[in-house]
Amino acid sequence: MPVLLNCTGDDEFYFGGSVYAMDSSPLCSIGSHLDVYCPPSKRARISSPYASSFNIFEDQKTPSIEVLPDECLFEIFRRLQGGEARSAAACVSKRWLMLLSSVRNSEICKTKNESQNDVDMTSRNEDLELESDGYLTRCLEGKKATDVRLAAIAVGTASRGGLGKLSVRGNNSTPGITNLGLSAVARGCPSLRVLSLWNVPSVGDEGLFEIAKECHLLEKLDLCQCPSISNKGLIAIAQNSPNLSALNIESCQNIGNESLQAISRCCPNLQSITIRDCALVGDQGLTSLLSSASSALKKVKLQALSITDLSLAVIGHYGKTLTSLVLSGLQNVSEKGFWVMGTARGLEKLTSLAISSCRGTTDASLEAIGKGCHNLKQMCLRKCCFVSDGGLAAFAKASGSLESLQLEECNRITELGIFSALSNFGSKLKSLALVKCMGIRDLTLETPLLSSCESLRSLSIRSCPGFGSASLAVVGKLCPQLHHVDLSGLCGITDTGLLPLVESNEAGLVKVNLSGCLNLTDKVVSAVARLHGGTLEVLNLDGCSKVTDASLFGIADNCFVLNDLDLSKCSITDSGVAALSRGEQLNLQILSLSGCYKLSNKSVPSLRKLGKTLVGLNLQHCNLISNSTVELLMEDLWRCDILS
């Protein structure tokens, strides 16, 4: 039966009836697909065919779920069966996504079957989503760090227990995430254990309130450049996160002593804390944290803070559980503070200590630290301008357990202090590193009789321009058991200085870095290959411009276990590479020939032969090797990563 229109004109037009005899000229433009009946006595209300067509489709409206208020949609969404259904619904619109992200994990209505399906889904996807520590993890950086993306992650992972680790790295060019996005994560991921927020100025206390309210399993919190987060947010975290074990606060201008006091009261499992460049943090907060009876702190790092001698005295007295301590840029701490920290004898378990840019570090305080920290194994001093040879020697005598010493930009220490320390450290020192120590000069006088340091295995002297051949020869005689030698940037040493070290070594060199040693020649390289070819694994000759093909002949004949060879900017030719390829027992994995301007296309057959074992080959700035030749080489050595 046809559909009739009533006389009042209130009825809508409908598709699909029969055509009756009528005067339909006013409606002929509507099209043959529309069948309409109008009584002949009724005058048509619409005079324009275009207008009539428009009104027909405008009046025909399909009921939509979008007209429902948010409260109704919320109730619908929390009853969706299965994580896949909720994820599909989140893809409909931004409104649906944000509503779904507002549903707490505890508010989702789950059946027994759905819970089992979620477990099965987790096991099927764990190889794609799980880290080695066993939980889901996500990292958002730059433009990808938005509220919408966080909401999508929260909805998508909620059925699998939610995120376990979230890392957000914002930038200054985009607004980044806000409290809204962080709240979505809190509601959808109650199992969150690790949260790291860097450079997110729009996240404030409200976001941390939600994390504190929902994520009671939080173990690690990292806040860097979060100016909108204050003591209130961090106090809420402390009060609701009993499992918190690691806290990192950096450049957060509104976090101060009150937060640290709350952490000392509420977080008995805290083992590691790092505080850097927080202007409101002072002695009051740190002393409360460090002197707490329930303190289990093992690692403490304090950098660029306005603390005084009081804080270091508290560390010295109450740091009985500390194993690692880093102090940097503490300009208000004097010699007295470091001296008291050492003499308090509370740092019984301290094994690693690093001090950088602290004017209070002097000879007297360094000696006190050596005497008070009996189990200290690793010591690093950077930019300690008041430490001299006397303090280093006294520290060496007092530190009976030290295994590793690094001195960087300590310009009052000379070569005599280094030699004396090597003799006084006893039989446990295994590693010595000197970096940019400008006070070191080459020996001009004979040194007194010194005892050797048989325990030293690693020697690194980098970018110390005054360290010359005479000093190196003495070090070689003092340290006959070296395995690793790094002399990069010592442009003053020659074959005369390095040969005694190479020839007196008894243990066999394993790693040798001579990059930037411009005056070394084939003589010393050949000696290294001949005397230590059976143990040498890594050899770096980058920038040794006097090294030629003669060295490659020695390497090919003697180095059986060498796997990493850097010949960048050496004066080698195609003949040297050919000799290298003829080494019957040579199994190189990494070969760098960058800047070897004498190499040409003639080296390609040799490189192809070497490529049987290579996984990395650097041919950058070899201008005589054509691009087409390199492309062919890439096709042949498809397993090798070639830089050109």
Side-chain angles (χ1 to χ4, degrees), residues 50-345:
Y50 295 97
S52 66
S53 175
F54 175 79
N55 288 337
I56 289 172
F57 291 105
E58 184 170 4
D59 288 342
Q60 181 184 350
K61 294 181 179 178
T62 304
S64 172
I65 193 175
E66 290 288 352
V67 301
L68 295 177
D70 290 349
E71 294 79 6
C72 293
L73 287 177
F74 179 91
E75 292 298 323
I76 294 173
F77 290 157
R78 79 185 192 93
R79 288 171 170 79
L80 289 176
Q81 299 298 312
E84 293 183 0
R86 287 188 288 273
S87 297
C91 297
V92 172
S93 67
K94 182 178 178 181
R95 179 194 178 199
W96 284 30
L97 170 62
M98 301 313 291
L99 277 173
L100 278 160
S101 69
S102 67
V103 181
R104 288 182 171 84
N105 199 48
S106 59
E107 294 173 334
I108 297 175
C109 298
K110 292 184 178 181
T111 63
K112 293 183 178 179
N113 291 335
E114 182 185 353
S115 300
Q116 182 61 40
N117 291 337
D118 288 344
V119 172
D120 294 341
M121 186 188 304
T122 302
S123 62
R124 288 197 303 269
N125 290 278
E126 63 181 359
D127 57 335
L128 299 176
E129 303 285 348
L130 296 183
E131 277 193 338
S132 58
D133 44 16
Y135 44 71
L136 296 167
T137 179
R138 287 290 185 276
C139 180
L140 303 181
E141 297 183 5
K143 295 181 179 180
K144 294 183 179 180
T146 62
D147 287 341
V148 173
R149 193 174 292 269
L150 279 183
I153 290 173
V155 173
T157 62
S159 63
R160 285 168 282 177
L163 285 178
K165 179 179 180 180
L166 174 63
S167 178
V168 179
R169 303 288 186 264
N171 57 31
N172 296 324
S173 59
T174 57
I177 68 168
T178 66
N179 293 321
L180 183 64
L182 196 59
S183 299
V185 171
R187 288 188 289 265
C189 308
S191 60
L192 190 69
R193 288 177 169 83
V194 181
L195 176 61
S196 179
L197 302 175
W198 286 17
N199 197 11
V200 284
S202 298
V203 172
D205 293 333
E206 293 79 5
L208 282 195
F209 289 158
E210 287 295 322
I211 294 291
K213 181 179 179 181
E214 303 292 338
C215 305
H216 301 296
L217 300 178
L218 192 67
E219 297 175 359
K220 298 179 181 179
L221 179 62
D222 181 6
L223 304 176
C224 178
Q225 296 181 1
C226 301
S228 300
I229 295 178
S230 69
N231 287 322
K232 294 180 180 179
L234 199 53
I235 289 173
I237 292 289
Q239 293 173 343
N240 293 276
S241 304
N243 296 328
L244 192 67
S245 61
L247 177 62
N248 182 15
I249 311 170
E250 181 176 345
S251 301
C252 296
Q253 59 191 25
N254 290 315
I255 292 178
N257 295 324
E258 293 83 354
S259 302
L260 300 185
Q261 291 171 342
I263 290 169
S264 67
R265 293 192 304 268
C266 305
C267 301
N269 296 315
L270 189 68
Q271 297 183 5
S272 174
I273 186 167
T274 298
I275 308 175
R276 178 177 182 180
D277 191 24
C278 295
L280 298 182
V281 172
D283 291 328
Q284 185 179 0
L286 279 176
T287 54
S288 174
L289 180 65
L290 296 167
S291 62
S292 173
S294 60
S295 177
L297 280 172
K298 294 182 178 180
K299 297 181 180 180
V300 173
K301 183 183 291 187
L302 307 176
Q303 297 175 290
L305 300 177
S306 299
I307 59 176
T308 67
D309 297 342
L310 176 61
S311 293
L312 263 66
V314 171
I315 291 175
H317 280 89
Y318 296 98
K320 298 184 183 300
T321 59
L322 282 182
T323 59
S324 176
L325 177 61
V326 177
L327 305 172
S328 176
L330 307 182
Q331 301 302 320
N332 295 330
V333 178
S334 67
E335 179 186 63
K336 180 180 179 181
F338 284 96
W339 186 86
V340 172
M341 183 182 75
T343 56
R345 304 296 177 95

Side-chain angles (χ1 to χ4, degrees), residues 555-611:
I555 291 173
D557 293 337
N558 299 286
C559 297
F560 306 138
V561 295
L562 187 66
N563 58 64
D564 189 338
L565 177 60
D566 192 339
L567 299 170
S568 301
K569 297 186 285 293
C570 292
S571 300
I572 61 173
T573 66
D574 299 329
S575 299
V577 177
L580 202 62
S581 68
R582 290 193 294 269
E584 295 180 358
Q585 297 183 355
L586 193 63
N587 290 298
L588 282 177
Q589 295 183 0
I590 299 176
L591 176 62
S592 179
L593 302 173
S594 175
C596 296
Y597 62 93
K598 294 182 180 181
L599 296 182
S600 68
N601 291 337
K602 295 180 180 179
S603 292
V604 172
S606 302
L607 293 175
R608 189 176 289 111
K609 185 176 180 180
L610 287 168

Side-chain angles (χ1 to χ4, degrees), residues 601-623:
N601 291 337
K602 295 180 180 179
S603 292
V604 172
S606 302
L607 293 175
R608 189 176 289 111
K609 185 176 180 180
L610 287 168
K612 295 178 180 179
T613 59
L614 286 178
V615 295
L617 175 61
N618 189 349
L619 296 176
Q620 292 179 316
H621 310 297
C622 296
N623 298 328

Side-chain angles (χ1 to χ4, degrees), residues 394-413:
F395 175 75
K397 291 179 181 179
S399 302
S401 302
L402 197 70
E403 296 179 357
S404 175
L405 175 64
Q406 179 176 343
L407 304 175
E408 183 173 345
E409 296 187 50
C410 297
N411 297 326
R412 294 189 64 183
I413 293 177

Side-chain angles (χ1 to χ4, degrees), residues 299-602:
K299 297 181 180 180
V300 173
K301 183 183 291 187
L302 307 176
Q303 297 175 290
L305 300 177
S306 299
I307 59 176
T308 67
D309 297 342
L310 176 61
S311 293
L312 263 66
V314 171
I315 291 175
H317 280 89
Y318 296 98
K320 298 184 183 300
T321 59
L322 282 182
T323 59
S324 176
L325 177 61
V326 177
L327 305 172
S328 176
L330 307 182
Q331 301 302 320
N332 295 330
V333 178
S334 67
E335 179 186 63
K336 180 180 179 181
F338 284 96
W339 186 86
V340 172
M341 183 182 75
T343 56
R345 304 296 177 95
L347 299 175
E348 299 172 353
K349 296 184 179 181
L350 189 68
T351 59
S352 176
L353 175 61
I355 303 175
S356 176
S357 302
C358 294
R359 294 180 295 181
T361 309
T362 63
D363 291 345
S365 60
L366 187 60
E367 182 180 4
I369 291 172
K371 292 180 179 179
C373 305
H374 300 294
N375 293 310
L376 191 63
K377 297 183 182 300
Q378 299 177 352
M379 181 67 170
C380 177
L381 298 175
R382 292 189 181 95
K383 298 182 179 180
C384 295
C385 55
F386 295 111
V387 175
S388 66
D389 292 344
L392 183 60
F395 175 75
K397 291 179 181 179
S399 302
S401 302
L402 197 70
E403 296 179 357
S404 175
L405 175 64
Q406 179 176 343
L407 304 175
E408 183 173 345
E409 296 187 50
C410 297
N411 297 326
R412 294 189 64 183
I413 293 177
T414 69
E415 67 282 356
L416 294 177
I418 299 298
F419 299 150
S420 177
L422 286 173
S423 296
N424 291 322
F425 270 120
S427 60
K428 292 190 177 181
L429 188 67
K430 297 179 181 179
S431 175
L432 174 64
L434 308 175
V435 183
K436 298 180 181 178
C437 293
M438 302 303 175
I440 296 179
R441 297 287 185 269
D442 204 16
L443 284 175
T444 56
L445 300 174
E446 290 187 5
T447 58
L449 185 62
L450 301 171
S451 58
S452 62
C453 186
E454 299 280 347
S455 60
L456 197 68
R457 297 292 183 268
S458 176
L459 175 65
S460 177
I461 306 174
R462 307 192 303 272
S463 302
C464 298
F467 198 93
S469 295
S471 299
L472 185 60
V474 174
V475 171
K477 294 177 181 179
L478 287 175
C479 310
Q481 301 295 329
L482 290 173
H483 289 306
H484 303 161
V485 175
D486 184 352
L487 305 177
S488 55
L490 300 188
C491 54
I493 64 173
T494 62
D495 295 348
T496 305
L498 187 54
L499 276 174
L501 186 149
V502 173
E503 293 172 349
S504 62
N505 186 272
E506 301 171 358
L509 296 174
V510 177
K511 296 181 180 180
V512 177
N513 185 353
L514 303 175
S515 61
C517 298
L518 307 178
N519 294 313
L520 296 181
T521 69
D522 294 324
K523 184 178 180 180
V524 73
V525 177
S526 299
V528 170
R530 184 180 70 257
L531 298 174
H532 305 281
T535 57
L536 190 65
E537 297 178 2
V538 179
L539 179 59
N540 189 337
L541 300 173
D542 182 8
C544 297
S545 55
K546 294 183 179 181
V547 172
T548 67
D549 293 340
S551 295
L552 299 191
F553 282 95
I555 291 173
D557 293 337
N558 299 286
C559 297
F560 306 138
V561 295
L562 187 66
N563 58 64
D564 189 338
L565 177 60
D566 192 339
L567 299 170
S568 301
K569 297 186 285 293
C570 292
S571 300
I572 61 173
T573 66
D574 299 329
S575 299
V577 177
L580 202 62
S581 68
R582 290 193 294 269
E584 295 180 358
Q585 297 183 355
L586 193 63
N587 290 298
L588 282 177
Q589 295 183 0
I590 299 176
L591 176 62
S592 179
L593 302 173
S594 175
C596 296
Y597 62 93
K598 294 182 180 181
L599 296 182
S600 68
N601 291 337
K602 295 180 180 179

